[in-house]
Amino acid sequence: MLDRIKACLPSLAPAEQRVALLLLSDARAFASLPVTELAARAHVSKPTVIRFCRSVGYDGLSDFKLKLAGNVSEGVPFIHRSVDADDKTADVMVKVIDNTVAAFLKYRNDASSALIEKAALALVAACNQGRRIEFFGVGNSGIVAQDAQHKFFRLGVHAIAYSDGHMQVMSASLLRPGDCVVIISNSGRTRDLLDAEGIARKNGATTIVITASGSPLASAGHIHLAADHPEGYDRYSPMVSRLLHLMVIDILATTVALRIGGDKVQPLLKEMKNNLRSKRYA
Protein backbone atom coordinates (compact mmCIF):
# COMPACT_ATOMS: atom_id res chain seq x y z
CA MET A 1 0.00 0.00 0.00
CA LEU A 2 2.81 2.43 0.91
CA ASP A 3 4.77 1.51 -2.23
CA ARG A 4 1.74 2.36 -4.36
CA ILE A 5 1.36 5.76 -2.66
CA LYS A 6 5.08 6.44 -3.08
CA ALA A 7 4.77 5.66 -6.79
CA CYS A 8 1.93 8.15 -7.30
CA LEU A 9 3.70 11.01 -5.46
CA PRO A 10 4.60 12.94 -8.67
CA SER A 11 0.96 13.06 -9.76
CA LEU A 12 -0.25 14.60 -6.48
CA ALA A 13 -0.68 18.32 -5.86
CA PRO A 14 2.11 19.90 -3.77
CA ALA A 15 -0.06 20.13 -0.64
CA GLU A 16 -1.19 16.52 -1.04
CA GLN A 17 2.47 15.49 -1.43
CA ARG A 18 3.16 16.90 2.04
CA VAL A 19 0.38 14.66 3.43
CA ALA A 20 1.86 11.67 1.57
CA LEU A 21 5.35 12.37 2.94
CA LEU A 22 3.93 12.59 6.46
CA LEU A 23 2.28 9.21 5.93
CA LEU A 24 5.43 7.61 4.53
CA SER A 25 7.51 8.90 7.44
CA ASP A 26 5.33 7.21 10.09
CA ALA A 27 2.40 5.13 8.83
CA ARG A 28 1.50 3.86 12.30
CA ALA A 29 1.11 7.39 13.68
CA PHE A 30 -0.88 8.49 10.60
CA ALA A 31 -3.38 5.67 11.18
CA SER A 32 -4.05 6.79 14.76
CA LEU A 33 -4.00 10.61 14.57
CA PRO A 34 -7.13 12.77 14.10
CA VAL A 35 -7.48 14.88 10.97
CA THR A 36 -6.69 18.12 12.84
CA GLU A 37 -3.34 16.78 14.01
CA LEU A 38 -2.54 15.32 10.59
CA ALA A 39 -3.25 18.65 8.90
CA ALA A 40 -1.12 20.52 11.43
CA ARG A 41 1.85 18.18 11.05
CA ALA A 42 1.70 18.33 7.23
CA HIS A 43 1.11 22.13 7.27
CA VAL A 44 -2.03 21.81 5.15
CA SER A 45 -5.77 22.28 5.63
CA LYS A 46 -8.06 19.50 6.83
CA PRO A 47 -9.84 19.29 3.42
CA THR A 48 -6.42 18.70 1.82
CA VAL A 49 -5.91 15.60 3.97
CA ILE A 50 -9.26 14.25 2.76
CA ARG A 51 -8.45 15.14 -0.87
CA PHE A 52 -5.19 13.22 -0.56
CA CYS A 53 -7.06 10.09 0.58
CA ARG A 54 -9.44 10.37 -2.38
CA SER A 55 -6.58 11.05 -4.80
CA VAL A 56 -4.99 7.70 -3.93
CA GLY A 57 -8.24 5.79 -4.44
CA TYR A 58 -10.16 5.78 -1.14
CA ASP A 59 -13.60 7.10 -0.15
CA GLY A 60 -12.21 9.48 2.46
CA LEU A 61 -10.05 9.68 5.56
CA SER A 62 -12.00 7.12 7.58
CA ASP A 63 -11.87 4.53 4.78
CA PHE A 64 -8.17 5.22 4.19
CA LYS A 65 -7.22 4.97 7.89
CA LEU A 66 -9.13 1.70 8.37
CA LYS A 67 -7.30 0.07 5.48
CA LEU A 68 -3.99 1.57 6.58
CA ALA A 69 -4.51 0.25 10.11
CA GLY A 70 -5.08 -3.23 8.68
CA ASN A 71 -1.84 -3.09 6.69
CA VAL A 72 0.11 -1.71 9.65
CA SER A 73 -1.24 -4.36 12.02
CA GLU A 74 -0.37 -7.14 9.59
CA GLY A 75 3.23 -5.94 9.67
CA VAL A 76 3.82 -5.82 13.43
CA PRO A 77 5.97 -8.43 15.21
CA PHE A 78 4.33 -11.79 16.03
CA ILE A 79 1.70 -11.49 13.29
CA HIS A 80 1.45 -14.81 11.40
CA ARG A 81 4.08 -16.38 13.64
CA SER A 82 3.21 -19.56 15.48
CA VAL A 83 3.57 -19.81 19.23
CA ASP A 84 6.85 -21.41 20.32
CA ALA A 85 7.20 -23.90 23.15
CA ASP A 86 9.48 -21.55 25.11
CA ASP A 87 7.23 -18.49 24.76
CA LYS A 88 6.25 -16.72 27.94
CA THR A 89 2.57 -16.13 28.68
CA ALA A 90 2.90 -12.47 27.66
CA ASP A 91 4.29 -13.57 24.27
CA VAL A 92 1.42 -16.03 23.79
CA MET A 93 -1.13 -13.30 24.55
CA VAL A 94 0.42 -10.92 22.02
CA LYS A 95 0.72 -13.54 19.27
CA VAL A 96 -2.80 -14.96 19.63
CA ILE A 97 -4.52 -11.58 19.97
CA ASP A 98 -2.52 -9.89 17.20
CA ASN A 99 -3.13 -12.78 14.80
CA THR A 100 -6.86 -12.53 15.50
CA VAL A 101 -6.96 -8.75 15.14
CA ALA A 102 -5.00 -8.95 11.88
CA ALA A 103 -7.49 -11.48 10.49
CA PHE A 104 -10.42 -9.22 11.40
CA LEU A 105 -8.80 -6.15 9.85
CA LYS A 106 -7.97 -8.09 6.69
CA TYR A 107 -11.62 -9.13 6.45
CA ARG A 108 -12.69 -5.50 6.94
CA ASN A 109 -10.47 -4.47 4.04
CA ASP A 110 -11.50 -7.32 1.71
CA ALA A 111 -15.20 -7.90 2.48
CA SER A 112 -17.92 -6.92 0.00
CA SER A 113 -20.65 -4.85 1.66
CA ALA A 114 -22.78 -5.32 -1.48
CA LEU A 115 -22.76 -9.11 -1.07
CA ILE A 116 -23.51 -8.85 2.66
CA GLU A 117 -26.46 -6.58 1.84
CA LYS A 118 -27.65 -9.08 -0.80
CA ALA A 119 -27.47 -11.94 1.71
CA ALA A 120 -29.26 -9.91 4.37
CA LEU A 121 -32.07 -8.99 1.97
CA ALA A 122 -32.52 -12.67 1.05
CA LEU A 123 -32.85 -13.53 4.75
CA VAL A 124 -35.26 -10.64 5.35
CA ALA A 125 -37.41 -11.75 2.39
CA ALA A 126 -37.56 -15.32 3.73
CA CYS A 127 -38.46 -14.00 7.17
CA ASN A 128 -41.21 -11.68 5.90
CA GLN A 129 -42.72 -14.44 3.77
CA GLY A 130 -42.68 -16.96 6.63
CA ARG A 131 -40.24 -19.20 4.75
CA ARG A 132 -37.61 -21.51 6.26
CA ILE A 133 -34.23 -20.13 7.34
CA GLU A 134 -31.58 -22.70 8.20
CA PHE A 135 -27.89 -22.75 9.13
CA PHE A 136 -25.58 -25.66 8.29
CA GLY A 137 -22.08 -26.30 9.61
CA VAL A 138 -19.85 -29.20 10.63
CA GLY A 139 -17.34 -29.33 13.49
CA ASN A 140 -16.29 -25.80 14.51
CA SER A 141 -18.59 -24.44 11.81
CA GLY A 142 -21.43 -26.33 13.48
CA ILE A 143 -20.83 -24.24 16.61
CA VAL A 144 -21.09 -21.09 14.47
CA ALA A 145 -24.35 -22.39 12.97
CA GLN A 146 -25.81 -22.84 16.46
CA ASP A 147 -24.70 -19.33 17.41
CA ALA A 148 -26.34 -17.98 14.25
CA GLN A 149 -29.62 -19.66 15.17
CA HIS A 150 -29.53 -18.05 18.62
CA LYS A 151 -28.78 -14.59 17.23
CA PHE A 152 -31.57 -14.74 14.65
CA PHE A 153 -34.01 -16.24 17.15
CA ARG A 154 -33.42 -13.19 19.38
CA LEU A 155 -34.61 -11.03 16.48
CA GLY A 156 -37.86 -12.96 16.32
CA VAL A 157 -36.63 -14.79 13.20
CA HIS A 158 -37.42 -18.51 13.44
CA ALA A 159 -34.34 -20.39 12.26
CA ILE A 160 -32.97 -23.92 12.57
CA ALA A 161 -29.34 -25.03 12.83
CA TYR A 162 -28.00 -28.47 11.88
CA SER A 163 -24.48 -29.80 12.43
CA ASP A 164 -25.18 -33.42 11.46
CA GLY A 165 -24.59 -34.31 7.80
CA HIS A 166 -27.58 -36.65 7.53
CA MET A 167 -29.94 -34.07 9.05
CA GLN A 168 -28.58 -31.41 6.68
CA VAL A 169 -29.25 -33.54 3.60
CA MET A 170 -32.73 -34.45 4.82
CA SER A 171 -33.57 -30.85 5.68
CA ALA A 172 -32.20 -29.57 2.35
CA SER A 173 -34.56 -32.03 0.63
CA LEU A 174 -37.51 -30.21 2.23
CA LEU A 175 -36.44 -26.70 1.19
CA ARG A 176 -38.37 -24.91 -1.53
CA PRO A 177 -38.26 -21.59 -3.45
CA GLY A 178 -38.29 -18.68 -1.01
CA ASP A 179 -36.44 -20.64 1.68
CA CYS A 180 -32.91 -19.60 2.65
CA VAL A 181 -29.97 -21.65 3.95
CA VAL A 182 -26.64 -20.31 5.24
CA ILE A 183 -23.81 -22.84 4.94
CA ILE A 184 -20.62 -22.24 6.94
CA SER A 185 -17.33 -24.00 6.22
CA ASN A 186 -13.70 -22.95 6.62
CA SER A 187 -12.35 -25.17 3.84
CA GLY A 188 -15.44 -25.24 1.63
CA ARG A 189 -14.68 -28.86 0.78
CA THR A 190 -16.81 -30.83 3.26
CA ARG A 191 -18.71 -33.47 1.31
CA ASP A 192 -21.90 -33.37 3.40
CA LEU A 193 -22.17 -29.59 3.13
CA LEU A 194 -21.57 -29.68 -0.63
CA ASP A 195 -24.28 -32.33 -1.02
CA ALA A 196 -26.73 -30.34 1.13
CA GLU A 197 -26.02 -27.13 -0.81
CA GLY A 198 -26.61 -28.89 -4.13
CA ILE A 199 -29.93 -30.34 -2.99
CA ALA A 200 -31.12 -27.01 -1.55
CA ARG A 201 -30.17 -25.14 -4.73
CA LYS A 202 -31.85 -27.78 -6.93
CA ASN A 203 -35.05 -27.34 -4.91
CA GLY A 204 -35.00 -23.57 -5.52
CA ALA A 205 -33.82 -22.35 -2.11
CA THR A 206 -31.35 -19.46 -1.87
CA THR A 207 -27.95 -20.68 -0.65
CA ILE A 208 -25.60 -18.28 1.18
CA VAL A 209 -22.13 -19.71 1.77
CA ILE A 210 -19.57 -18.37 4.24
CA THR A 211 -16.34 -20.02 3.19
CA ALA A 212 -12.90 -19.65 1.61
CA SER A 213 -12.54 -18.09 -1.83
CA GLY A 214 -11.88 -20.53 -4.65
CA SER A 215 -13.35 -23.51 -2.80
CA PRO A 216 -15.99 -25.83 -4.32
CA LEU A 217 -18.62 -24.49 -1.92
CA ALA A 218 -17.78 -20.88 -2.86
CA SER A 219 -18.39 -21.69 -6.53
CA ALA A 220 -21.65 -23.52 -5.83
CA GLY A 221 -23.55 -21.06 -3.62
CA HIS A 222 -25.84 -18.30 -4.88
CA ILE A 223 -24.21 -15.72 -2.58
CA HIS A 224 -20.60 -16.18 -1.46
CA LEU A 225 -19.42 -14.27 1.61
CA ALA A 226 -15.67 -14.84 1.46
CA ALA A 227 -14.03 -15.55 4.83
CA ASP A 228 -10.41 -16.38 4.06
CA HIS A 229 -8.22 -17.51 6.92
CA PRO A 230 -6.27 -20.75 6.40
CA GLU A 231 -5.78 -22.57 9.68
CA GLY A 232 -2.35 -23.96 10.54
CA TYR A 233 -1.98 -27.52 11.70
CA ASP A 234 0.76 -26.95 14.24
CA ARG A 235 0.11 -27.75 17.85
CA TYR A 236 -0.55 -24.19 18.98
CA SER A 237 -2.52 -22.74 16.08
CA PRO A 238 -5.40 -20.56 17.38
CA MET A 239 -8.82 -21.21 15.84
CA VAL A 240 -9.19 -17.76 14.27
CA SER A 241 -11.48 -18.91 11.44
CA ARG A 242 -14.30 -19.71 13.87
CA LEU A 243 -14.07 -16.21 15.36
CA LEU A 244 -14.07 -14.78 11.83
CA HIS A 245 -17.20 -16.73 10.91
CA LEU A 246 -18.90 -15.61 14.13
CA MET A 247 -18.14 -12.00 13.20
CA VAL A 248 -19.66 -12.49 9.74
CA ILE A 249 -22.80 -13.88 11.39
CA ASP A 250 -22.88 -10.85 13.71
CA ILE A 251 -22.73 -8.52 10.70
CA LEU A 252 -25.52 -10.44 8.96
CA ALA A 253 -27.72 -10.53 12.07
CA THR A 254 -27.24 -6.81 12.72
CA THR A 255 -28.01 -5.91 9.11
CA VAL A 256 -31.13 -8.09 9.14
CA ALA A 257 -32.25 -6.46 12.40
CA LEU A 258 -31.92 -3.01 10.79
CA ARG A 259 -33.86 -4.11 7.71
CA ILE A 260 -36.64 -5.64 9.81
CA GLY A 261 -36.90 -2.40 11.77
CA GLY A 262 -35.75 -1.42 15.24
CA ASP A 263 -39.33 -0.64 16.33
CA LYS A 264 -40.11 -4.35 15.93
CA VAL A 265 -36.87 -5.80 17.31
CA GLN A 266 -36.33 -3.64 20.40
CA PRO A 267 -39.55 -4.66 22.23
CA LEU A 268 -38.73 -8.33 21.58
CA LEU A 269 -35.22 -8.01 22.99
CA LYS A 270 -36.52 -6.11 26.02
CA GLU A 271 -39.18 -8.73 26.74
CA MET A 272 -36.65 -11.56 26.42
CA LYS A 273 -34.22 -9.80 28.77
CA ASN A 274 -36.93 -9.15 31.37
CA ASN A 275 -38.18 -12.74 31.27
CA LEU A 276 -34.66 -14.13 31.60
CA ARG A 277 -33.86 -11.75 34.45
CA SER A 278 -36.97 -12.84 36.36
CA LYS A 279 -35.80 -16.47 36.21
CA ARG A 280 -32.46 -15.78 37.89
CA TYR A 281 -31.88 -16.58 41.52
CA ALA A 282 -31.32 -13.63 43.82
Side-chain angles (χ1 to χ4, degrees):
M1 182 179 183
L2 297 179
D3 288 342
R4 184 163 56 83
I5 291 171
K6 190 182 298 182
C8 74
L9 262 175
S11 64
L12 297 174
E16 293 173 0
Q17 288 181 0
R18 290 200 290 274
V19 181
L21 291 173
L22 175 66
L23 163 68
L24 295 170
S25 67
D26 191 347
R28 191 180 302 280
F30 195 101
S32 61
L33 291 173
V35 64
T36 303
E37 181 66 18
L38 291 172
R41 291 193 182 192
H43 305 291
V44 299
S45 66
K46 289 188 286 186
T48 299
V49 176
I50 297 170
R51 280 200 303 273
F52 158 75
C53 297
R54 290 174 177 162
S55 294
V56 293
Y58 297 89
D59 293 335
L61 181 60
S62 296
D63 181 49
F64 179 80
K65 287 175 70 174
L66 278 169
K67 291 180 171 63
L68 177 63
N71 280 274
V72 169
S73 293
E74 287 181 342
V76 301
F78 296 151
I79 291 293
H80 306 309
R81 282 175 49 193
S82 61
V83 176
D84 300 318
D86 58 350
D87 275 343
K88 297 178 180 178
T89 302
D91 296 328
V92 173
M93 289 176 61
V94 171
K95 289 183 178 181
V96 171
I97 293 172
D98 281 2
N99 270 287
T100 304
V101 170
F104 284 0
L105 287 171
K106 184 178 185 304
Y107 178 80
R108 162 60 182 82
N109 293 341
D110 297 342
S112 168
S113 58
L115 287 175
I116 292 173
E117 175 74 4
K118 186 177 180 180
L121 290 177
L123 290 165
V124 169
C127 171
N128 290 338
Q129 295 168 17
R131 306 299 304 181
R132 296 168 65 122
I133 295 177
E134 303 190 352
F135 297 91
F136 295 170
V138 175
N140 283 296
S141 298
I143 298 173
V144 179
Q146 293 290 339
D147 180 78
Q149 180 192 20
H150 295 161
K151 284 186 169 66
F152 276 78
F153 191 76
R154 290 176 69 244
L155 304 178
V157 177
H158 296 287
I160 302 172
Y162 293 114
S163 57
D164 177 80
H166 288 83
M167 289 297 296
Q168 290 165 357
V169 168
M170 286 191 291
S171 183
S173 302
L174 300 174
L175 296 177
R176 293 294 180 265
D179 295 333
C180 199
V181 58
V182 180
I183 304 174
I184 307 149
S185 172
N186 187 45
S187 69
R189 299 179 183 279
T190 305
R191 184 73 262 166
D192 287 341
L193 293 177
L194 284 166
D195 289 344
E197 192 284 333
I199 294 169
R201 181 162 34 86
K202 180 181 177 181
N203 288 343
T206 300
T207 61
I208 301 167
V209 296
I210 303 173
T211 189
S213 300
S215 65
L217 188 59
S219 302
H222 288 119
I223 304 171
H224 172 217
L225 304 182
D228 298 309
H229 185 82
E231 292 292 352
Y233 296 97
D234 58 273
R235 183 176 177 182
Y236 304 109
S237 177
M239 190 57 68
V240 176
S241 64
R242 185 171 72 186
L243 297 176
L244 186 60
H245 293 159
L246 287 168
M247 184 177 68
V248 177
I249 291 296
D250 273 349
I251 295 170
L252 268 182
T254 304
T255 308
V256 168
L258 293 172
R259 299 298 174 267
I260 291 174
D263 56 332
K264 298 179 182 178
V265 174
Q266 288 297 333
L268 284 174
L269 295 176
K270 185 176 180 179
E271 182 181 359
M272 288 180 190
K273 181 64 69 175
N274 290 336
N275 288 338
L276 289 171
R277 188 179 289 115
S278 68
K279 297 295 182 183
R280 293 174 184 166
Y281 293 105

